[in-house]
Amino acid sequence: MTVSREEATYAYRLILGREPESEQVLEQAMAAQNLAHLRQVFLGSMEFAQKYESSPERLLPIGRFFEAPSVDIDIACTPEQLQAMFDRIGKAWQAFGETEPHWSVLTNDVFRQENLAANIEHFYGSGHADVDVHLNFLRRAGLPVSFDKVLDFGCGVGRLTLALASHARTAVGVDISPPHLKLAVEQADKQAITNVEFEAIGSVNDLDRYRDFDFVLSRIVLQHNPPPVMAAIYAKLLAALARGGVAVVQMPTYMHERHFSAADYLASEQPQMEMNALPQPIIYRLIEEADCRLIEVREDGSAGNMPALSHTFVVQRR
């Protein structure tokens, strides 16, 4: 569930005791994944700490799951198993694209089809705030935020791709769901954005055709894939970077009491919108194998109220 304008405004009033100072800060607050994430951001802000003479570190839920001695996630699988998992996810998301394409991207009831007309501008507007927040990773590292080519993986209906277009000569959105991509193309035409391309893939290996990108972004996407697919896709996204290019990718890294093996997964039913995690040791190994360096890693709250951790990883290709 995303955050409405009214909820963002009341967060300022109830938590910080003031009105939001600009439209830009409201849009940034509305980019929170859900109310729990919004509350975490406000309670962890320096303004709140200074106002109430408290430490942000004491207010954030830091220290969860430190007691876990191991993570039973096995990403080993055959190429056939990997494709079977990918096909299962593709089928689920094509169904979403035919029924609730915008809600499947941001699971707030205001983006369901019956409510969409009144909220479509908010939907795409949130993409600009979201992109700007994630470009701050680069700004903090002293890196440029204007690019030749950018890639948005899991682009859906183009919410982030269209926002990225203003920062690049060419923005490419990639997804596994043609119905989502059809709507992305229609929205690009509606907004008269001409420097975007939208493409569908049918396997992880289809990502091999993407190379020499200055910036790669993917968020609230990989979590809906089983761990072997998450790992395979992440490796391909890092390989898509040009030398010096930066990838900002979000994914859950731990889910309490979650176990995974390819055989068990393929032999069982899964929810249509599944949630999975890729352990951090695997992620760091993939970063090293891709000849990338870690710039920043942040716990991001994208797992919401689930007993889980989610992180955003910012890496640069050497």
Side-chain angles (χ1 to χ4, degrees), residues 3-67:
V3 174
S4 69
R5 179 177 298 275
E6 183 180 26
E7 289 166 339
T9 301
Y10 274 101
Y12 273 94
R13 293 171 180 171
L14 296 175
I15 299 177
L16 298 183
R18 64 175 179 83
E19 296 294 316
E21 67 270 29
S22 69
E23 181 65 22
Q24 182 180 7
V25 299
L26 259 185
E27 292 286 351
Q28 290 175 347
M30 290 160 63
Q33 283 78 38
N34 49 44
L35 289 177
H37 182 208
L38 180 69
R39 182 171 60 251
Q40 177 179 328
V41 170
F42 272 71
L43 292 179
S45 68
M46 188 57 64
E47 180 177 348
F48 182 87
Q50 293 172 344
K51 187 182 291 289
Y52 296 103
E53 298 182 351
S54 182
S55 167
E57 289 78 6
R58 294 172 55 192
L59 297 166
L60 292 172
I62 300 299
R64 293 178 300 161
F65 313 120
F66 278 3
E67 72 281 1

Side-chain angles (χ1 to χ4, degrees), residues 32-150:
Q33 283 78 38
N34 49 44
L35 289 177
H37 182 208
L38 180 69
R39 182 171 60 251
Q40 177 179 328
V41 170
F42 272 71
L43 292 179
S45 68
M46 188 57 64
E47 180 177 348
F48 182 87
Q50 293 172 344
K51 187 182 291 289
Y52 296 103
E53 298 182 351
S54 182
S55 167
E57 289 78 6
R58 294 172 55 192
L59 297 166
L60 292 172
I62 300 299
R64 293 178 300 161
F65 313 120
F66 278 3
E67 72 281 1
S70 63
V71 182
D72 187 17
I73 302 295
D74 182 6
I75 66 168
C77 67
T78 66
E80 292 77 17
Q81 287 175 318
L82 186 70
Q83 186 63 47
M85 287 184 272
F86 192 91
D87 290 342
R88 175 185 285 189
I89 297 301
K91 182 178 179 180
W93 284 86
Q94 287 187 50
F96 278 129
E98 294 164 355
T99 56
E100 289 290 353
H102 299 81
W103 175 88
S104 69
V105 174
L106 294 177
T107 54
N108 187 322
D109 283 346
V110 301
F111 301 131
R112 289 195 180 274
Q113 290 300 290
E114 66 265 25
N115 304 318
L116 187 62
N119 296 288
I120 190 69
E121 290 186 8
H122 169 36
F123 178 90
Y124 281 102
S126 72
H128 288 274
D130 219 347
V131 163
D132 195 58
V133 165
H134 286 77
L135 289 178
N136 282 338
F137 285 111
L138 281 71
R139 295 184 180 108
R140 287 193 290 271
L143 297 172
V145 294
S146 295
F147 313 101
D148 181 37
K149 293 197 306 178
V150 300

